[in-house]
């Protein structure tokens, strides 16, 4: 009898464990939480609208190759958020080398991306996770800029 009770207890425990596991939310990547491919595309487009609205940022983006920028930024956001893409663009220091920008431009760019994520419906925790990754790129992006104050 004690033996049977023991088996029942073990069985009950295993079932409980399985149910608990089944009710846990699935692990999702940041990329998925940003809406995957379509979400990232929307974020990039929203970002460009933000740039267009910014007197500080707009002049720097006036003469860029827009289709290329959209593709490369989308690849990069996808890769750093754990998505299936590989960034095929240029090195961050080389891309931004010689650009007349300082920390105000960097902050405005990060703010523009935050607003772009907000408008795309990305939750605040995921926005913050993404901002952490962008902030970590500050050194590479700003290394060889002209940085007039
Ligand atoms: C974390 C911050 C930043 C990230 C992740 C980022 C990312 C990128 C990427 C992926 C590209 C495309 C590279 C390629 O074409 O191969 C690019 C280009 C560019 N970025 Fe940034 N960028 C950042 C900050 C900034 C800032 C602060 C500015 C100026 C306000 C800026 C202005 C530009 C411009 C004008 C281009 C186009 C360059 C060209 O086509 O000649 N970026 N950036």
């Amino acid at each position: 009898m004690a033996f049977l009770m023991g088996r029942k207890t073990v069985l009950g425990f295993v079932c409980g464990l399985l149910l608990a596991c089944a009710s846990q939310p699935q692990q999702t990547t940041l990329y998925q939480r940003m809406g995957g491919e379509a979400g990232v595309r929307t974020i990039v487009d929203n970002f460009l609208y933000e740039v267009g609205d910014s007197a500080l940022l707009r002049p720097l983006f006036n003469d860029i190759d827009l289709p290329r920028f959209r593709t490369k930024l989308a690849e990069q956001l996808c890769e750093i958020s754990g998505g299936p893409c590989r960034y095929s663009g240029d090195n961050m220091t080389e891309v931004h080398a010689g650009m007349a920008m300082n920390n105000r431009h960097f902050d405005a760019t990060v703010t523009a991306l935050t607003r772009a994520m907000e408008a795309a419906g990305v939750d605040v925790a995921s926005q913050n996770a993404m901002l952490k990754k962008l902030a970590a790129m500050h050194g590479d992006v700003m290394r060889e800029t002209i940085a007039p104050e």
Side-chain angles (χ1 to χ4, degrees):
M1 187 62 178
F3 168 70
L4 272 180
M5 286 279 286
R7 278 170 62 125
K8 271 189 184 164
T9 312
V10 171
L11 205 64
F13 178 72
V14 171
C15 286
L17 207 66
L18 285 174
L19 280 173
C21 290
S23 63
Q24 288 294 311
Q26 294 288 311
Q27 285 278 343
T28 55
T29 60
L30 182 52
Y31 175 68
Q32 286 165 326
R33 297 202 298 280
M34 293 204 305
E37 190 185 340
V40 167
R41 219 177 308 124
T42 303
I43 292 167
V44 170
D45 285 347
N46 291 348
F47 171 73
L48 286 167
Y49 290 128
E50 291 291 334
V51 167
D53 281 347
S54 163
L56 182 67
L57 298 179
R58 200 174 46 238
L60 284 148
F61 286 81
N62 261 346
D63 299 320
I64 68 167
D65 175 344
L66 202 56
R68 178 187 164 97
F69 180 80
R70 287 177 80 222
T71 306
K72 301 303 178 193
L73 184 61
E75 275 179 10
Q76 191 182 51
L77 296 181
C78 169
E79 179 173 323
I80 65 175
S81 62
C85 326
R86 286 298 156 261
Y87 175 60
S88 64
D90 295 335
N91 166 284
M92 283 293 97
T93 301
E94 285 167 15
V95 169
H96 301 96
M99 280 191 199
M101 66 192 200
N102 53 36
N103 282 331
R104 278 176 58 233
H105 296 90
F106 188 87
D107 291 349
T109 302
V110 172
T111 301
L113 268 164
T114 311
R115 293 167 71 109
M117 288 190 278
E118 178 71 31
V122 177
D123 65 275
V124 173
S126 303
Q127 288 178 29
N128 287 338
M130 201 61 193
L131 292 182
K132 212 170 147 187
K133 291 175 185 296
L134 294 169
M137 298 165 88
H138 176 272
D140 285 342
V141 170
M142 300 301 288
R143 185 158 297 127
E144 291 177 13
T145 55
I146 298 173
E149 288 307 322

